[in-house]
Amino acid sequence: MRNKIVDAAEAVAIIRSGDTVASSGFVGVGTPDEIIKALERRFVQTGEPRDLSLVFAAAPGDGADRGLNRLAHPGLIKRLVGGHFGLVPKLARMAVDNHVEAYNLPLGCVSHLFREIAGRKAGLLSKVGLGTFVDPANGGGKLNARTTEELVRLIEIDGEQWLFYKAFPINVAIIRGTTADHNGNISMEKEALTLDNLALATAAKNCKGFVIAQVERIAASGSLNPRHVKIPSVLIDCVVVAQPENHVQTYATGYNGAFSGELRAPADRNVPMALDNRKIIARRCALELPMGGVVNLGIGMPEGVASVAAEEKLFDFVTLTAEPGIIGGIPQGGLDFGASINAESIIDQNQMFDFYDGGGLDLACLGMAQVNGRGDVNVSLFNGRLAGAGGFINISQNARRLIFAGTFTTAGLKTSVVDGQLKILSEGKSSKFIGKVDQITFSGQLAATNRQPVLYVTERCVFRLTPEGLELIEIAPGIDMERDILALMGFRPIIRAPKSMDVTLFSEALMQLDDRLLNRPLAERLSYDADRNTLFLGLDGYRVHRDADVEVIRTSILELFHRVGRRFSAVVNYDSSYIAPDMAEKWFSMAAEVERTCYDHASRYTTSAFMRLKLGDALSRRDVAPHIFETSADAHRFVE
């Protein structure tokens, strides 16, 4: 067929009762509304097709009526397999009310499953989901009593536990691009994301199914640059040209060239946030940003961290990412979520989850709806509301460091900042820190076992995950610990010596984060644990340009050695550090000297492969054993 252009009604006529239909879309980005509306119209008018299995990674919807919400008709849907349900509440209600079979699987695993189905593999093998509600021991991702088939299995390989996500045929894929030629080649130049369109189209085609593509315009055959063609014609059965109102770039924005990379928006357009709970929490999270690191910010409260980073001019020092494939730029929130202004790169969603699942994130900041004393977090199903896991499980389980962010209570919380102190004007009706979570989306026990550093940040206090459970480590000025924190919790946290939250969080003035994070005083970089007889030296972001930069480290370590009176272990963080070439000889000679004099065991770590090689070579040449690791957990494990 050399001319594949058809109208929407003709396209959806190929969908048969009982088919498995998979749709692209992330909120409104890439959501093929013209085709979805036509499918709904056909069912309402004819009663066909019936009993569809609907598969989606992210939730293609607006939280109300658009996107896949249109398909929430009794009889039309038999089964749902989705990564996120928060923006398709009509489908979520069908699942919660036991009207359809329903599974919630991690978004990244659904995304990868499309790729496995495309290659005719048996399924996906992953550790993502262990210890959560997706683990067969906790339900296997099934959402109601009607759902009985096991799509997730626990298996063991060489003594390690893995989850196996079962593949299934996809009969119809509905995808979206920008331009199509008459042959069916699809480009995506005005789309804010490329998502899983190629994998999804390949999966349906290799299952002997059909692929329907929605576009906004048609080009002459052979006129598209082959490097711009994202889905080739051999994968496309028919093309539908959408009405403009059914092909917006996002549900909040008709078109923004800075989302698609057509242009770069001015960098000075950021509007500072008001000093409220959201900004206090975002600022406290921003204090943890790794200079030179890669970060993911979740939907909701964590979105504010991007605003604080922009206000504090940190974008030259940290790379923000979003799970649908955004690297760099300023990730957007609300119904623009998934898009980014001035992104450095836009890659496919499944490729982004390769990076995330493999440990590529230095830090993730995510929301929280319920937290228990073990540090388990629920964001997926609470108080009868199905939000779904989305990318939360992939991200939280594999990030090197993790922050959960949210207000301490919800439903009615009102606060104010007076003279640098936080005042509770009206307490929320329910606390997020409860005795038992409704569902485990993040396993605190697994994180503690893996020694993953985890913080829980609220407007009034901060908790840290320990092997024994949650520890209260910071309290906001103006907050009474017993009245405003402990009395509202469903469990008692560990309390050792909580300190005051940083006073600059509660001021209208800028925090000067660029200077604070890059030029931390030595007192904040060096700590000694007497019980473990271990020195922790944080050289992350440290710059070595002068002799004094070398000598201050040498002097401090030697002073500690003389004060302690014995050798000690050392764990040194080199993340994002910089040693000027003309200072390398002095620096590494100093490092070798203090190791031979002061350390009995030492380990160093950095996410930079180049720095690991540089450290290893420099220390080896000085007869120092180069115990150098990629992660903090590995470095600590070696010393212990």
Side-chain angles (χ1 to χ4, degrees), residues 21-25 29-36 114 170 172-178 184-188 191 194-204 210-216 230-232 235-240 242 246-247:
V21 178
S23 174
S24 72
V29 182
T31 300
D33 276 299
E34 186 82 23
I35 299 168
I36 294 170
F114 291 151
I170 293 175
V172 181
I174 305 173
I175 63 174
R176 192 179 108 168
T178 299
N185 292 299
I186 309 293
S187 64
M188 303 182 69
E191 299 296 310
T194 58
L195 298 173
D196 293 315
N197 283 290
L198 178 58
L200 191 49
T202 309
F210 298 95
V211 181
I212 307 171
Q214 173 181 313
V215 298
E216 66 175 77
K230 297 297 185 181
I231 307 101
L235 300 177
I236 301 297
D237 291 288
C238 55
V239 175
V240 174
N246 297 327
H247 202 96

Side-chain angles (χ1 to χ4, degrees), residues 484-505:
D484 300 325
I485 299 175
L486 301 182
L488 304 176
M489 299 180 68
F491 60 90
R492 187 171 182 86
I494 300 165
I495 301 173
R496 295 188 177 100
K499 64 179 183 179
S500 176
M501 292 175 71
D502 194 312
V503 294
T504 61
L505 302 175

Side-chain angles (χ1 to χ4, degrees), residues 206-274:
N206 285 350
C207 290
K208 312 304 179 187
F210 298 95
V211 181
I212 307 171
Q214 173 181 313
V215 298
E216 66 175 77
R217 59 193 183 188
I218 300 299
S221 295
S223 65
L224 296 180
N225 185 326
R227 290 186 178 275
H228 296 165
V229 172
K230 297 297 185 181
I231 307 101
S233 62
V234 295
L235 300 177
I236 301 297
D237 291 288
C238 55
V239 175
V240 174
V241 181
Q243 295 297 313
E245 64 271 19
N246 297 327
H247 202 96
V248 291
Q249 193 178 34
T250 78
Y251 282 142
T253 302
Y255 181 71
N256 184 340
F259 288 174
S260 61
E262 178 189 10
L263 54 83
R264 293 189 67 80
D268 58 354
R269 296 178 59 189
N270 181 68
V271 177
M273 300 168 63

Side-chain angles (χ1 to χ4, degrees), residues 289-308:
L289 288 173
M291 295 297 92
V294 182
V295 177
N296 172 273
L297 301 177
I299 195 169
M301 190 65 71
E303 295 169 17
V305 180
S307 296
V308 169

